[in-house]
Amino acid sequence: MDEVTRLVELLGHGNAAEDEEALALLAIHGRRAVESLLAAAASPDPQRRAACLTALGRIGDPRSRRTVILALADRTSLVRAAAASAVAAFPSEEAVSRLDAMLKRETEAEVRLRGAATLVDMFNSGAVEAL
């Protein structure tokens, strides 16, 4: 098993410190980790999906954009919250539109907070449509 696969396997098992260490190392691996993270982002385990989305957002590879944006509609609030933060790595009109739609239907405070914070981040990064 290579290092990237090992790190991806560690994600989402409930230990925040181990997750953070794996996330940091995956960010260092960058683009090499994207395919493994995309595959793991389809896991039935919501904690694993959320951790993978966080990693994809930190890496910011364009191959991840669609997966992250689609996760804004996940059935689990933990995953939606992670996606709402991760989508900041992909500022675009589509991302703003999806965040806006999510905020209009979202009932969970944490998800709404992360979505609003991401819109502010996008605006501060020059995505004027986020206003």
Side-chain angles (χ1 to χ4, degrees):
M1 177 182 310
D2 71 347
E3 176 72 2
V4 169
T5 303
R6 185 185 72 76
L7 291 169
V8 171
E9 288 295 319
L10 291 174
L11 292 176
H13 292 294
N15 184 324
E18 287 178 5
D19 269 1
E20 190 54 46
E21 182 180 350
L23 288 167
L25 292 170
L26 285 164
I28 291 169
H29 283 285
R31 294 179 57 98
R32 292 188 312 256
V34 171
E35 291 300 325
S36 295
L37 286 165
L38 287 171
S43 168
D45 177 14
Q47 286 189 304
R48 186 168 179 74
R49 289 196 311 273
C52 288
L53 291 167
T54 298
L56 291 168
R58 288 184 184 183
I59 294 168
D61 186 281
R63 294 173 290 173
S64 308
R65 186 183 58 78
R66 178 171 163 70
T67 297
V68 171
I69 288 175
L70 291 176
L72 291 170
D74 193 273
R75 67 187 174 277
T76 306
S77 63
L78 176 70
V79 176
R80 291 192 309 273
S85 293
V87 78
F90 310 100
S92 65
E93 286 185 34
E94 179 190 13
V96 169
S97 174
R98 295 286 185 119
L99 277 169
D100 182 52
M102 182 205 70
L103 286 171
K104 288 178 180 169
R105 71 176 182 275
E106 185 59 58
T107 58
E108 294 289 327
E110 177 69 19
V111 180
R112 292 179 57 79
L113 178 66
R114 288 197 191 191
T118 294
L119 286 171
V120 170
D121 288 346
M122 286 181 173
F123 176 75
N124 288 335
S125 297
V128 181
E129 60 273 2
L131 184 60

